[in-house]
């Protein structure tokens, strides 16, 4: 089982306190249903199914605390809900403040709702083998170009040296706390620890861990959920209608 491996305590933070509605839906993204289940719930189910985390802390807008608690799975692994802050970094910091006993912290996007549990395990295993920061990475298939403000191409980086980075991102808890104590705002937690000079290791990512960002992503995610069998933590009947 997950708990009590030595003195280690792996806590997964799921920042979902943004009001972002880029999907074109009327709800904050994490609460948009995929296959009838809120993305946030699917993301939590994946973390729990990995059997690699000892606790999950979900960070949501203050006015959605009760709604969030109502959609949580029944689980022997504690899942807590805390209010977020103005920026994503503030929300992650609120999650860190709620978990003083964590030795390792995962930060996971609710929008990566279909992340396979074995990807979560891969990140945790890499942390346990001594890495202080771990990110799932996939090779880039498109050619990537840099452009200037007018859209003119300024360069073509070597694609073989590029990776698309997913979540969960895993960290030694002390390192992540130090990174967040700098007060720098970032879209990515690994970016913060890179600024401290820490080495960030990659593990192989997973296509199913794609981020549901656009309406097309939502169509794909709905199709994929419709095709799969519910996992052990996914009792669809237990989820109230959104
Ligand atoms: O807006 P963006 O896509 O960068 O948000 C990334 C993640 O951070 C989302 O899951 C969003 O809910 C979360 N977030 C947050 N608190 C904020 C802003 C964003 O937890 N204040």
């Amino acid at each position: 089982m997950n708990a009590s491996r030595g003195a280690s305590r792996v806590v997964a933070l799921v920042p979902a306190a943004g009001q972002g509605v880029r999907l074109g839906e009327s709800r904050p993204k994490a609460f948009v249903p995929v296959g009838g289940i809120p993305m946030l719930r699917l993301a939590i189910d994946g973390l729990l199914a990995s059997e690699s985390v000892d606790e999950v802390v979900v960070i949501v807008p203050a006015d959605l605390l009760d709604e969030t608690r109502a959609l949580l799975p029944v689980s022997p692994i504690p899942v807590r809900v805390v209010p977020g802050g103005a920026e994503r970094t503030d929300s992650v910091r609120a999650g860190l403040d709620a978990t003083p006993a964590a030795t390792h912290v995962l930060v996971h996007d609710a929008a990566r709702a279909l992340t396979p549990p074995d990807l979560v395990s891969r990140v945790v295993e890499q942390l346990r083998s001594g890495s202080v920061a771990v990110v799932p990475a996939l090779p880039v298939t498109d050619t990537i170009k840099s452009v200037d403000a007018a859209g003119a191409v300024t360069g073509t980086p070597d694609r073989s040296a590029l990776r698309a980075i997913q979540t969960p991102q895993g960290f030694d808890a002390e390192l992540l706390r130090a990174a967040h104590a700098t007060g720098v705002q970032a879209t990515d937690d690994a970016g913060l620890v890179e600024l401290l000079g820490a080495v960030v290791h990659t593990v192989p990512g997973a296509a199913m861990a794609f981020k549901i960002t656009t309406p097309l992503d939502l169509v794909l995610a709905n199709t994929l959920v419709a095709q799969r069998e519910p996992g052990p933590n996914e009792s669809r009947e237990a989820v109230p209608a959104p």
Side-chain angles (χ1 to χ4, degrees), residues 8-97:
S8 89
R9 183 166 184 82
V10 180
V11 178
L13 306 182
V14 186
Q19 295 290 349
V21 289
R22 280 175 297 180
L23 266 182
E25 304 278 328
S26 57
R27 321 221 55 214
K29 184 161 79 175
F31 295 84
V32 170
V34 170
I37 305 172
M39 276 189 223
L40 180 57
R41 166 67 187 263
L42 289 169
I44 295 167
D45 286 343
L47 289 165
L48 296 175
S50 75
E51 301 191 347
S52 296
V53 305
D54 298 304
E55 183 178 12
V56 177
V57 176
V58 185
I59 307 111
V60 298
D63 59 338
L64 293 176
L65 288 170
D66 288 342
E67 184 176 338
T68 305
R69 289 189 184 109
L71 64 76
L72 297 180
V74 176
S75 158
I77 298 167
V79 182
R80 288 194 290 136
V81 184
V82 300
E87 305 291 338
R88 181 187 177 282
T89 315
D90 302 318
S91 296
V92 173
R93 202 175 301 127
L96 284 172
D97 290 347

Side-chain angles (χ1 to χ4, degrees), residues 145-155:
K145 293 189 186 291
S146 54
V147 295
D148 64 17
V153 170
T154 56

Side-chain angles (χ1 to χ4, degrees), residues 23 36-37 40 43 46 49 59 62 74 88-89 93 99 109 111 131 149-150 171 173 177 192 200 206 219 227 236:
L23 266 182
I37 305 172
L40 180 57
I59 307 111
V74 176
R88 181 187 177 282
T89 315
R93 202 175 301 127
T99 57
D109 281 338
S131 295
F171 304 94
R177 288 185 204 285
L192 286 179
V200 179
V219 171
Q227 285 176 354
R236 285 170 197 189

